[in-house]
Amino acid sequence: MDNNALFTTTPLGPFTLKNRIVLPPLTRSRSSQPGNIPNELMAEYYSQRSSAGYMVTEGTQIEPRGQGYAWTPGIHSAEQVAGWRKVTRAVHDRGGIIFAQLWHVGRVSHTSLQPGEAAPVAPSAIPAGDNVKVFIETGPGTGTLAPASVPRALETSEVKDIVKMYAKAAQNALDAGFDGVEIHCANGYLVNQFMSIHSNQREDEYGGSLQNRLRFLREVVQAVADVVGKDRVGVRFSPLFNDTKEERVYLGLVEDNPHETYTEAVKILQEIGIAYLSLAEADWDNAPELPVAFYQQVRDIFAGTIMYAGRYTKERAERILNAGWGDIFGFGRPFIANPDLPARLANGWPLNAVDAATMYGGTAKGYTDYPHYE
């Protein structure tokens, strides 16, 4: 077995991870309908991947308005909490560690996914743009990509209510047996919408200056940390420094000054004292890596564990680790297709190829039927 640093133990809050290879949050759209309820099939999927250092669930909506894609699970109803309990029990039975990713899509949604077919909610009534598509159900087990609907702006009191919803979802995650939570603040979803000058044109305390645009982030992270303990909280950002014209479902928002926006955001996380920061890098073909100065400054600011993800290979992870910029690494598509990914990487075994046609929705095919290495 290869004894390089990816296979050494490392701390994450109160936990000691058995390796530095992470199953990052990956939308798979397999929840049971109606109700977006986690199920036995999902429990099998996560338990199969319990050899990861730890795992983060797919994005899990904190309230009904937080859904942007058909068949994604929630964590706001008693039935959903009970469903997630099956998942955490199966993972813990195999010695795994699993965090729930708390998700609210904001404007990246469609009226057909919203309660009463209302407009999605957002910091400001600004559409998400032509390149943003959401997945809607067109019939039992069938769906299609559709443009995101025009949102309505949240009232100030509603923003404060959503902060409380994050705290309630965090409590639900504890009740479901999760070891901690990750707050999804990336990819142009609700928290990212508040952060960005392009989607936030509010005139109250949540808009205007950068610190005001970061206020929602601060309040959500603090509220969640107060519930689960700051040492069991992570936050995910997707700091894009380069735009792309590629047709993709969604990439996120490129700020006028991304370096300042995200280093100031990381300072807030350091002040609160959370366990880890997850940075999702651009993952389109030939996408540039983050600037070296950004890697270095994030490490200088943040004292906790730092995770990177986005088309990472074993070699790239080792390079970032050896440079001292990151501690743990998310392997998305490789972990979808290889439930035994850490063993394959450790031994240099070949990897199964991912089946793109079965990524979202469907049955066990392309979900729990990928073989272990023989």
Side-chain angles (χ1 to χ4, degrees):
M1 181 167 283
D2 188 344
N3 289 317
N4 69 36
L6 282 184
F7 303 96
T8 57
T9 60
T10 188
L12 180 75
F15 305 104
T16 299
L17 308 187
K18 55 199 168 194
N19 59 56
R20 297 168 185 264
I21 297 163
V22 178
L23 175 73
L26 297 158
T27 297
R28 303 305 310 277
S29 300
R30 253 68 171 202
S31 67
S32 294
Q33 303 304 315
N36 297 320
I37 299 168
N39 51 46
E40 297 285 358
L41 184 64
M42 292 168 61
E44 181 182 1
Y45 168 79
Y46 284 108
S47 67
Q48 285 176 344
R49 288 154 181 80
S50 296
S51 63
Y54 87 113
M55 297 180 286
V56 186
T57 70
E58 61 217 275
T60 302
Q61 52 260 13
I62 65 165
E63 63 139 330
R65 296 177 302 176
Q67 183 176 13
Y69 306 88
W71 316 320
T72 54
I75 195 161
H76 52 83
S77 75
E79 295 79 11
Q80 291 163 352
V81 171
W84 280 121
R85 214 169 278 133
K86 298 175 184 177
V87 174
T88 59
R89 188 179 303 121
V91 168
H92 292 151
D93 284 349
R94 290 200 177 185
I97 298 169
I98 187 166
F99 280 40
Q101 192 193 55
L102 306 184
W103 190 27
H104 196 306
V105 299
R107 70 180 186 176
V108 185
S109 187
H110 190 272
T111 54
S112 68
L113 295 164
Q114 294 291 308
E117 298 198 346
V121 297
S124 302
I126 302 170
D130 294 339
N131 67 320
V132 179
K133 300 290 191 291
V134 296
F135 188 78
I136 63 172
E137 186 175 71
T138 55
T142 61
T144 188
L145 289 172
S149 299
V150 177
R152 72 164 179 88
L154 289 157
E155 300 292 337
T156 302
S157 61
E158 293 180 297
V159 177
K160 297 181 184 302
D161 288 341
I162 291 177
V163 173
K164 295 174 184 174
M165 291 176 191
Y166 273 98
K168 174 59 176 171
Q171 183 60 56
N172 288 347
L174 290 182
D175 294 346
F178 282 104
D179 299 301
V181 300
E182 177 178 292
I183 307 168
H184 196 345
C185 303
N187 301 113
Y189 297 121
L190 185 63
V191 180
N192 196 182
Q193 289 160 33
F194 273 92
M195 293 169 62
S196 178
I197 194 74
H198 303 302
S199 48
N200 182 348
Q201 295 180 4
R202 300 178 69 88
E203 296 180 353
D204 64 0
E205 66 203 80
Y206 294 100
S209 69
L210 176 57
Q211 290 305 318
N212 275 5
R213 285 184 279 116
L214 294 175
R215 187 184 304 276
F216 184 63
L217 167 73
R218 182 189 291 275
E219 291 182 357
V220 167
V221 176
Q222 187 64 65
V224 169
D226 288 345
V227 171
V228 303
K230 62 186 181 182
D231 61 345
R232 293 173 183 262
V233 176
V235 164
R236 183 172 234 216
F237 292 139
S238 55
L240 292 178
F241 282 72
N242 301 84
D243 208 347
T244 178
K245 301 303 180 190
E246 284 197 18
E247 285 291 321
R248 287 177 59 82
V249 174
Y250 210 51
L251 293 165
L253 296 151
V254 183
E255 302 309 310
D256 295 339
N257 186 341
H259 189 106
E260 179 190 25
T261 298
Y262 283 98
T263 53
E264 288 301 312
V266 173
K267 287 176 185 176
I268 290 171
L269 307 186
Q270 174 61 21
E271 288 172 24
I272 296 172
I274 66 170
Y276 76 91
L277 165 65
S278 174
L279 294 169
E281 298 196 49
D283 66 352
W284 61 86
D285 288 338
N286 303 313
E289 292 189 14
L290 292 168
V292 168
F294 183 74
Y295 284 123
Q296 292 173 331
Q297 190 168 4
V298 168
R299 175 54 89 188
D300 289 343
I301 294 169
F302 190 70
T305 298
I306 299 176
M307 175 169 128
Y308 284 99
R311 291 224 171 173
Y312 266 74
T313 61
K314 178 170 176 278
E315 293 72 26
R316 184 180 176 192
E318 289 168 347
R319 178 167 56 81
I320 299 296
L321 179 62
N322 291 333
W325 298 334
D327 305 293
I328 57 179
F329 302 90
F331 291 81
R333 289 174 181 84
F335 231 140
I336 286 175
N338 299 274
D340 55 344
L341 183 67
R344 288 181 187 249
L345 295 179
N347 292 287
W349 296 335
L351 300 183
N352 299 322
V354 71
D355 175 16
T358 56
M359 293 273 280
Y360 307 109
T363 63
K365 180 175 170 55
Y367 190 56
T368 56
D369 64 348
Y370 284 106
H372 285 64
Y373 183 75
E374 295 290 343

